[in-house]
Structure formats: structure tokens, C-alpha cells
């Protein structure tokens, strides 16, 4: 065993030395590509929104319960869960009414209480934007933006939406649950990539998908994945709906929930933000805190979730992985530009690590290097990275990994359900039987 470990370590060192020369060439290409759009990229650099939302000062000053409230910036999710466990229903309700933005985003707080708090926060923000939309002191552009944002909030308040986190600052952040999280036996958390915010998340199509997804799952739900349109399956809401439909198709008797987590500031376009890890470094602690809160809260799912990370979202997950602990069962990266690690073992997680990248995905042409702060490191879908590689049969684009009918979506559902022996590996029809056997053996 010791000799095998030494051979594996030596092999990794050799691969890293071999990548050295290629890295210099690829880095030059990366620098040239980014520099060619540097003016555009700097002008569109996104602020990294972190810390608690507005209202933290009033929360800290609140003495209505005769005790200090947990600091939303420093209290651990476990401490938050313990605090709320000591409150009666009236006290919980009072805090949600008076501090909806804080309670709604407080990892470790009861799940259903966060839903109620965020509904209040959304309604208040909707009314505020409606007032701004008629404010003559604003520019035409400002009033138009306010009308659009008010419409987005209205969509999020419609039907039976379950908003687990909502932050209106800057471009907005949102976490939504599809299914009954409090009774779910199997759960997935989807971390999307670039160009996702409150505006792109809450489009009319996405809102329609969400209302449909949260409807009661009957026998007809077994065919839900077949009715999801390709365009919807590219949005965060569409991804979540398609996965939940596939979960119901594969295991109709199993309670499931899918969480769409847009809880970080995402890059816009293909500028410097997408080529560096700045926004991922800011988003990773937020993801870690969310997952810890999910495990600690009243109403938490029965089993640790699978975390499914698409595109730049995989960079966030790579930065967060070493803090996952027992809170995550499986980590899946899809169409990844890199996870800021050279090998799966370097992620420092006990979760099973999976990777998928289709040959038609343009991300495969992005240099998988990390040099001078640019790039995100090795390709997680490469054979020597050490991840379990998934079949993506039926995928033809960077945004199609959740497309109904693809082997990719079927695999994501199998992993979420814990049905690992049914997972299809990244093998072709003419692959030798030994390759298939080795992959299956690796999953047992």
C-alpha cells in the first residue's frame, strides 16, 4: 500500500512537470485572449457581494427577546440552529416579521421559517421598486430598471415558490427549493456558472418552470423530464426542474428535492472575472456556510446532498470542497474550466468526485492552466485528474448537461439517488470490456 502511494505521488509530480512546458504556451494564449478584451473586462468587473444583507445592524441591536441574537456574520450555522431550537413559534415568527432579510438568509435557521421570511422580504422589495418606478427624480433608465426588478419579485412571489435565500444587493442572489426539503430522502444542490443573477434567473420562462416544478408530483410526473424544453433546461430553474423530473422518473416513490443555489456573484461574459478566481474565492465560503446550515437546520434533508457544479460554478465548488466535511456525499463538476486543483485528491474532500465534459463543449478549448492568476488549473474531465468520468451521450453544447434525454441528466439523477452501480461512465461503444469493468468496479 505504501509503495502504491509513493508511485501515485511520483506519477502526479511527473504529470505536473510535464504540464509545465505546456502551461507556458497555454498561459500565453490565455493572456493574449484576455488582454484582447481587457478594456471591456475591466469595465464590466463585478463586485463580490459577501456578508449579511441589509438589516444586520438592526438585528444586532434587537433586545426584544431578552437575549443576544446570533450575529449573522460570525455565528456558525450550528449555533444558529441551536438558538432557534430554543425559541417558541411566536418568537420565531416575530423575528421573521421584523427582520425578514436576515432570517431569510440565516444559514441554520429553520427551513420553513426562511421561506416565510423571504416571502416578506420579496414583497417589501417589490413595493419599494414599484414606488421607484414612478419616482420623477429618477432617470428613465432608473425607472425602467425598477419596473423590471419589481416584475421579477412579483414572479418570485407567485404560486408556491420556496425561496431559501434572497439578497437584493447589486445584481441579486437567490436560492430556491424544488420539492419538499423537510421530507426529502435525496437532495441535490445545483451551483450555476457565469451570467446568472436575479434578472436572468427570474425570466418569464423560468418562473413558469418553477411553478410547474413545485406542483404535486403525481404518476404523470414520471414523464416530466420528457416535457422540459431545451431552452428552459439551460436556466437555473430549468436545470432544477429537469433534474427533479428525472429523479421522479427513476425513483417515483422516493422523496426528493433540488436546490438551485445562486448564492454568489457570478462573472458576466468571458472577461477577467471568468478567467480568475476572485469571485469564486468570495463565493466559496458562502457555499460552505449554506451547506453547513442545510445540515444543521430544522427541516434538513435526511441524507447529505450531491453538489452539482456547472461551468464557473465548478471553480466555486473547487475552492469550497476542502470544507465540505460530511455535509456533501458527491461532488460533480460539469463543463468545468478547472477547479483550482491538479488532482481530485488535492480538493481535500471525502465526497466522491465526478466530472463530465462532452466533446462538443467549447470549454474543452479553454487552456486548462493556472498561471499569473489566470486560468483554473487542470481539466477535471481528463483521465489523470482522478475523478470518476461520466458519460454525456446526447449533450451537444456547454449548456446541455441537464437536458432531458441525455445520459448526463440520467447520471446526475442516479448519483443524487445513490444508485451508483447504474451510473454510465465516459466510455464509447468500442471501448474494451476491461475499461468498462474497471469503471464499474471503481463505483462499488
Amino acid at each position: 500500500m505504501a509503495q502504491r502511494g509513493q508511485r501515485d505521488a511520483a506519477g502526479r509530480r511527473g504529470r505536473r512537470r510535464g504540464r509545465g512546458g505546456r502551461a507556458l504556451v497555454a498561459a500565453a494564449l490565455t493572456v493574449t485572449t484576455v488582454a484582447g478584451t481587457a478594456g471591456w473586462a475591466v469595465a464590466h468587473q463585478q463586485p463580490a457581494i459577501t456578508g449579511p444583507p441589509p438589516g444586520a445592524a438592526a438585528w444586532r441591536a434587537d433586545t426584544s427577546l431578552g437575549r443576544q441574537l446570533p450575529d449573522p456574520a460570525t455565528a456558525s450555522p450550528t449555533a444558529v440552529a441551536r438558538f432557534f431550537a430554543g425559541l417558541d413559534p411566536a418568537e420565531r415568527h416575530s423575528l421573521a416579521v421584523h427582520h425578514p432579510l436576515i432570517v431569510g438568509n440565516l444559514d441554520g435557521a429553520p427551513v420553513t421559517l426562511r421561506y416565510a421570511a423571504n416571502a416578506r422580504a420579496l414583497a417589501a422589495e417589490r413595493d419599494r421598486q414599484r414606488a421607484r418606478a414612478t419616482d420623477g427624480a429618477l432617470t428613465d433608465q432608473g425607472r425602467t430598471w425598477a419596473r423590471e426588478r419589481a416584475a421579477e419579485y412579483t414572479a418570485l412571489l407567485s404560486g408556491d415558490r420556496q425561496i431559501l435565500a434572497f439578497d437584493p444587493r447589486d445584481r441579486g442572489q437567490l436560492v430556491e427549493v424544488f420539492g419538499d426539503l423537510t421530507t426529502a430522502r435525496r437532495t441535490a444542490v445545483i451551483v450555476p456558472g457565469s451570467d446568472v443573477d436575479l434578472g436572468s434567473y427570474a425570466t418569464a420562462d423560468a418562473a413558469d418552470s418553477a411553478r410547474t416544478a413545485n406542483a404535486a408530483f403525481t404518476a404523470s410526473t414520471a414523464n416530466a423530464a420528457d416535457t422540459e424544453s431545451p431552452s428552459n433546461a439551460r436556466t437555473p430553474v430549468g436545470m432544477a426542474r429537469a433534474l427533479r423530473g428525472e429523479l421522479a422518473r427513476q425513483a417515483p416513490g422516493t422523496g426528493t428535492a433540488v436546490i438551485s443555489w445562486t448564492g454568489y456573484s457570478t462573472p458576466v461574459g468571458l472577461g477577467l472575472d471568468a478567467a480568475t478566481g476572485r469571485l469564486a474565492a468570495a463565493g466559496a465560503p458562502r457555499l460552505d456556510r449554506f451547506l453547513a446550515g442545510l445540515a444543521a437546520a430544522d427541516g434538513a434533508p435526511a441524507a447529505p446532498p450531491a453538489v452539482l457544479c456547472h461551468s464557473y460554478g465548478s471553480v466555486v465548488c473547487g475552492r469550497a470542497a476542502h470544507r465540505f466535511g460530511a455535509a456533501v456525499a458527491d461532488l460533480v463538476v460539469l463543463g468545468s474550466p478547472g477547479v483550482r486543483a491538479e488532482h481530485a485528491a488535492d480538493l481535500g474532500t471525502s465526497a466522491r468526485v465526478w466530472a463530465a465534459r462532452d466533446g462538443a463543449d467549447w470549454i474543452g478549448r479553454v487552456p486548462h492552466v493556472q498561471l499569473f492568476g489566470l486560468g483554473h488549473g487542470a481539466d477535471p474531465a481528463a483521465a489523470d485528474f482522478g475523478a470518476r468520468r461520466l458519460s454525456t451521450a446526447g449533450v451537444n453544447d456547454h449548456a446541455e448537461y441537464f437536458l432531458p434525454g441525455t445520459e448526463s441528466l440520467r447520471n446526475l439523477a442516479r448519483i443524487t439517488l445513490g444508485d451508483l452501480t447504474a451510473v454510465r461512465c465516459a466510455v464509447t461503444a468500442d471501448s474494451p470490456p476491461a475499461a468498462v469493468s474497471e469503471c464499474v468496479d471503481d463505483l462499488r
Side-chain angles (χ1 to χ4, degrees):
M1 182 65 70
Q3 290 178 342
R4 180 180 178 182
Q6 291 170 356
R7 288 197 302 270
D8 290 345
R12 287 198 294 272
R13 287 194 297 271
R15 288 192 294 270
R16 289 166 182 166
R17 285 195 298 270
R19 289 193 185 111
R22 296 194 302 273
L24 291 175
V25 176
L29 174 60
T30 303
V31 171
T32 301
T33 302
V34 175
T37 58
W40 178 91
V42 172
H44 290 77
Q45 192 173 44
Q46 303 301 307
I49 304 301
T50 60
W59 168 271
R60 294 186 183 105
D62 189 335
T63 58
S64 61
L65 298 184
R67 71 192 83 172
Q68 186 176 7
L69 305 183
D71 192 316
T74 60
S76 70
T78 301
V80 170
R82 188 164 51 245
F83 169 80
F84 277 96
L87 302 181
D88 61 40
E91 290 172 324
R92 293 182 180 187
H93 177 73
S94 177
L95 290 179
V97 168
H98 291 96
H99 308 282
L101 270 177
I102 297 300
V103 174
N105 289 277
L106 199 55
D107 294 313
V111 169
T112 54
L113 185 68
R114 290 179 67 171
Y115 293 159
N118 283 315
R120 286 182 172 275
L122 280 162
E125 287 297 313
R126 176 202 58 194
D127 294 344
R128 188 172 75 88
Q129 294 303 332
R130 283 177 173 174
R132 294 182 75 248
T134 59
D135 187 348
L138 295 180
T139 63
D140 289 343
Q141 183 180 13
R143 288 193 295 272
T144 298
W145 184 92
R147 282 194 298 272
E148 292 174 349
R149 188 53 66 93
E152 292 158 3
Y153 294 151
T154 299
L156 290 170
L157 284 164
S158 63
D160 56 354
R161 306 293 288 268
Q162 299 176 127
I163 308 302
L164 193 55
F166 161 64
D167 190 334
R169 290 178 293 175
D170 194 54
R171 292 159 53 214
Q173 299 180 9
L174 194 76
V175 180
E176 185 168 13
V177 177
F178 301 83
D180 190 345
L181 191 60
T182 63
T183 61
R185 290 175 53 200
R186 293 289 179 174
T187 310
V189 177
I190 299 174
V191 182
S194 299
D195 298 306
V196 176
D197 54 29
L198 195 59
S200 61
Y201 180 94
T203 61
D205 286 347
D208 290 342
S209 295
R211 286 192 291 273
T212 302
N214 278 328
F217 269 59
T218 60
S220 63
T221 310
N223 296 320
D226 297 327
T227 62
E228 179 62 46
S229 73
S231 59
N232 283 349
R234 297 167 178 265
T235 68
V237 169
M239 291 176 181
R241 182 185 179 216
L243 178 58
R244 185 143 190 262
E246 181 63 22
L247 290 169
R249 189 189 69 81
Q250 291 189 21
T254 300
T256 62
V258 179
I259 302 171
S260 177
W261 187 85
T262 308
Y264 76 107
S265 301
T266 67
V268 172
L270 296 176
L272 283 174
D273 280 344
T276 67
R278 180 180 65 89
L279 294 180
R286 296 174 73 83
L287 177 59
D288 283 323
R289 185 177 178 87
F290 171 78
L291 293 169
L294 193 63
D298 179 23
V307 178
L308 319 177
C309 316
H310 179 242
S311 195
Y312 190 86
S314 68
V315 186
V316 178
C317 292
R319 295 292 297 261
H322 69 284
R323 297 190 187 93
F324 282 172
V328 175
D330 294 272
L331 169 62
V332 186
V333 296
L334 309 158
S336 175
V339 292
R340 301 243 148 187
E342 291 299 304
H343 192 272
D346 299 333
L347 291 171
T349 178
S350 59
R352 288 177 290 265
V353 180
W354 310 77
R357 176 173 57 77
D358 192 77
D361 188 344
W362 60 263
I363 204 75
R365 297 192 294 274
V366 173
H368 281 89
V369 298
Q370 185 178 346
L371 196 65
F372 307 133
L374 298 174
H376 303 298
D379 181 2
D384 60 355
F385 184 80
R388 296 169 166 90
R389 295 186 294 165
L390 299 173
S391 170
T392 58
V395 172
N396 293 298
D397 185 75
H398 181 63
E400 292 188 354
Y401 291 97
F402 289 83
L403 192 67
T406 61
E407 197 64 44
S408 174
L409 179 63
R410 289 190 285 266
N411 275 330
L412 295 176
R414 291 162 183 151
I415 292 170
T416 300
L417 293 168
D419 188 10
L420 303 187
T421 58
V423 173
R424 299 293 185 268
C425 301
V427 295
T428 59
D430 58 351
S431 295
V436 180
S437 175
E438 181 180 359
C439 184
V440 173
D441 287 344
D442 190 39
L443 300 180
R444 291 174 179 166

